Amino acid sequence: MALLDSAFAFLYQLGDAFAFLVLAACGLAVVFGMMGVINLAHGEFIMCGAYVTVATTRAGLPLPLGILAGSLVAGAIGMALERLVIRHLYGRPLDTIVATWGVSLAATQGTLIFLGSSMPGVGTPLGSFSLGSYSYSTYRVVLMLAALGVLAGLYLAFNATRFGTLARATIQVPHMAEALGVDTRKVYALTFGIGAALAGLTGGLYAPTMTIVPTMGTTFIMEAFVTVVVGGADIFLGTAPAALVLGAVRAVLTSWQGQLYGQIGLLVAVILVIRVLPRGISGLILRERA
């Protein structure tokens, strides 16, 4: 019985780490993996989603609608940012780093000035359940299911819809797509908006579990980047396996030695994977298929 309790506890930690990495990375994977834009303001879109979710929920909106509102607001801001700033920097990755870093600093400091150093939270819903001698948060299970739902939704959106076909064509051969009548500016704006909306969704989903502060995006940004880099260029083939591998490493070391060792092990695993698989996990999968 004790063995089963320990096994379930490990699987729960693995699922929790997997959900965190997938949700943190999906929006960045869309923007970076498909558009080649290195978005250092990704954490601030997550922060935006969390703030809007908490504000609307405390105003009386049900939590699921508050999360949806946070995602939509972040997506709208992302489309505006793409139109005003990012659109002029395509093909200039170093410039996108500087520009989005500036946006990140401005968003963090602006939030601190206008909204203060913290915002009262909403509390984690759904309570907990017990199995053996351990107690688990039910909401964390919801986050695991949400991560799987986001992966499935992204795959369908970019592989089974007309927009997905146009988006992939625009990103792969933009001049040919434009010559065939595709409004590439609109496609870029919508794609960046989807990435920002996914970041806002992540912030909204994790808002009940975290302290709401202007710098909360930094909690996600490192894990998001390492998951995308380990996953490789193909976001649909790479993100989920990368999150699973890194989540397993983190869960094993966390359950063995604690949170600090889990974080260190995650970074060491990233270094090893990049050394062995410079094209990431998706590169290995595509090579095996070929």
Side-chain angles (χ1 to χ4, degrees):
M1 192 65 179
L3 181 61
L4 289 176
D5 289 350
S6 299
F8 183 82
F10 170 74
L11 291 175
Y12 181 87
Q13 283 190 327
L14 174 60
D16 188 33
F18 173 80
F20 184 87
L21 293 171
V22 165
L23 292 172
C26 273
L28 186 66
V30 169
V31 173
F32 176 60
M34 295 193 69
M35 302 177 67
V37 173
I38 303 174
N39 180 21
L40 293 186
H42 180 70
E44 281 57 52
F45 285 114
I46 293 175
M47 179 265 291
C48 171
Y51 267 80
V52 172
T53 297
V54 170
T56 53
T57 302
R58 290 178 64 84
L61 206 63
L63 179 60
L65 293 181
I67 293 172
L68 178 61
S71 179
L72 293 176
V73 170
I77 293 174
M79 292 182 68
L81 179 65
E82 191 278 338
R83 184 179 182 86
L84 296 174
V85 179
I86 305 299
R87 177 171 296 182
H88 309 287
L89 302 176
Y90 289 125
R92 297 156 57 185
L94 294 179
D95 291 345
T96 63
I97 292 175
V98 175
T100 55
W101 180 53
V103 171
S104 169
L105 294 177
T108 301
Q109 294 304 312
T111 304
L112 178 63
I113 292 170
F114 291 108
L115 299 179
S117 58
S118 66
M119 175 182 281
V122 294
T124 306
L126 303 180
S128 61
F129 65 95
S130 297
L131 187 65
S133 56
Y134 298 99
S135 180
Y136 305 94
S137 168
T138 306
Y139 187 70
R140 294 283 178 179
V141 178
V142 174
L143 293 177
M144 299 174 202
L145 296 176
L148 295 175
V150 167
L151 286 174
L154 272 179
Y155 181 83
L156 292 175
F158 283 98
N159 288 278
T161 66
R162 183 173 183 272
F163 167 75
T165 303
L166 295 179
R168 287 183 285 114
T170 298
I171 289 157
Q172 291 172 12
V173 194
H175 301 299
M176 181 64 73
E178 191 167 2
L180 293 173
V182 178
D183 188 347
T184 55
R185 290 191 172 190
K186 183 178 180 180
V187 171
Y188 278 129
L190 287 173
T191 304
F192 194 90
I194 289 172
L198 288 171
L201 176 65
T202 301
L205 286 169
Y206 278 95
T209 70
M210 302 181 68
T211 302
I212 309 301
V213 295
T215 57
M216 64 179 294
T218 57
T219 307
F220 297 84
I221 192 71
M222 186 272 287
E223 281 89 348
F225 268 103
V226 298
T227 303
V228 171
V229 170
V230 169
D234 192 312
I235 64 171
F236 305 111
L237 290 178
T239 303
L244 188 61
V245 170
L246 297 177
V249 170
R250 184 173 179 177
V252 167
L253 292 176
T254 299
S255 61
W256 178 40
Q257 290 290 337
Q259 191 73 27
L260 177 61
Y261 281 88
Q263 198 77 0
I264 294 172
L266 179 72
L267 296 176
V268 172
V270 171
I271 295 171
L272 293 176
V273 170
I274 293 174
R275 178 66 182 86
V276 176
L277 300 172
R279 294 182 179 273
I281 293 176
S282 65
L284 175 64
I285 295 173
L286 292 172
R287 187 174 65 191
E288 291 295 330
R289 285 184 175 181

